[in-house]
Every structure is written in C-alpha cells, then in structure tokens.
C-alpha cells in the first residue's frame, strides 16, 4: 500500500475539475437530517466555524451542548 505525503500530493486538472462539481454542503443526507431535527424542535447552526485552529467546519453545530456533527453522506464517503 502506497501512502502519499499530503504536502506533496497534487491532483491532476481533470480530477480537480471533477471534484469541484460536488458541493461542500446541502447534500441529500444532510438535508434529510436537518429536516428531521428541525421537525423535532432541535435548533442548530449549519456549516459554522467552531475554532480558528481547526480547518474543518462541522455540518451541524449545537453550541449549548458543545456538539458538532459531521454528515459524510456524499458519494466519496459512502
């Protein structure tokens, strides 16, 4: 198994264009989860930065309970 060093890895132009077509948020699984949570009276923030030190942004954030939810429901994450 070959492991790539992320600092030196670069996608070719075709792969970059292909991946750029997919949105970062509002995927079908994420929308379904948000609808159900909202229907149940849960309130949350969408795609909100939780820390300046962290590069990733959770899909849903519940600040009072300090819970961050990541919905990996796209094709690439199965």
């Amino acid at each position: 198994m070959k492991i790539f060093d992320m600092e030196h890895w670069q996608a070719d132009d075709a792969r970059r264009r292909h991946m750029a077509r997919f949105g970062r948020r509002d995927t079908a699984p994420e929308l379904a989860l948000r609808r159900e949570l909202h229907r149940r009276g849960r309130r949350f923030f969408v795609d909100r930065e939780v820390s300046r030190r962290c590069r990733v942004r959770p899909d849903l954030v519940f600040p009072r309970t300090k819970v961050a939810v990541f919905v990996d429901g796209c094709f690439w994450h199965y």
Side-chain angles (χ1 to χ4, degrees), residues 1-11 55:
M1 183 165 101
K2 190 172 184 178
I3 299 175
F4 294 99
D5 182 8
M6 292 304 285
E7 291 181 19
H8 302 308
W9 184 85
Q10 290 205 353
R55 289 179 17 184

Side-chain angles (χ1 to χ4, degrees), residues 53-71:
R53 296 183 312 187
C54 186
R55 289 179 17 184
V56 298
R57 294 169 64 122
D59 296 309
L60 304 174
V61 177
F62 299 88
R64 286 188 181 169
T65 56
K66 296 183 180 179
V67 172
V69 178
F70 294 87
V71 181

Side-chain angles (χ1 to χ4, degrees), residues 29-75:
E30 184 182 339
L31 290 175
L33 177 62
R34 286 177 10 202
R35 273 198 270 333
E36 182 60 25
L37 288 170
H38 197 270
R39 187 185 71 77
R40 293 182 183 204
R42 304 288 185 215
R43 299 302 179 252
F44 47 84
F45 290 98
V46 177
D47 195 35
R48 185 179 194 189
E49 184 179 80
V50 292
S51 170
R52 292 199 184 270
R53 296 183 312 187
C54 186
R55 289 179 17 184
V56 298
R57 294 169 64 122
D59 296 309
L60 304 174
V61 177
F62 299 88
R64 286 188 181 169
T65 56
K66 296 183 180 179
V67 172
V69 178
F70 294 87
V71 181
D72 292 334
C74 67
F75 172 80

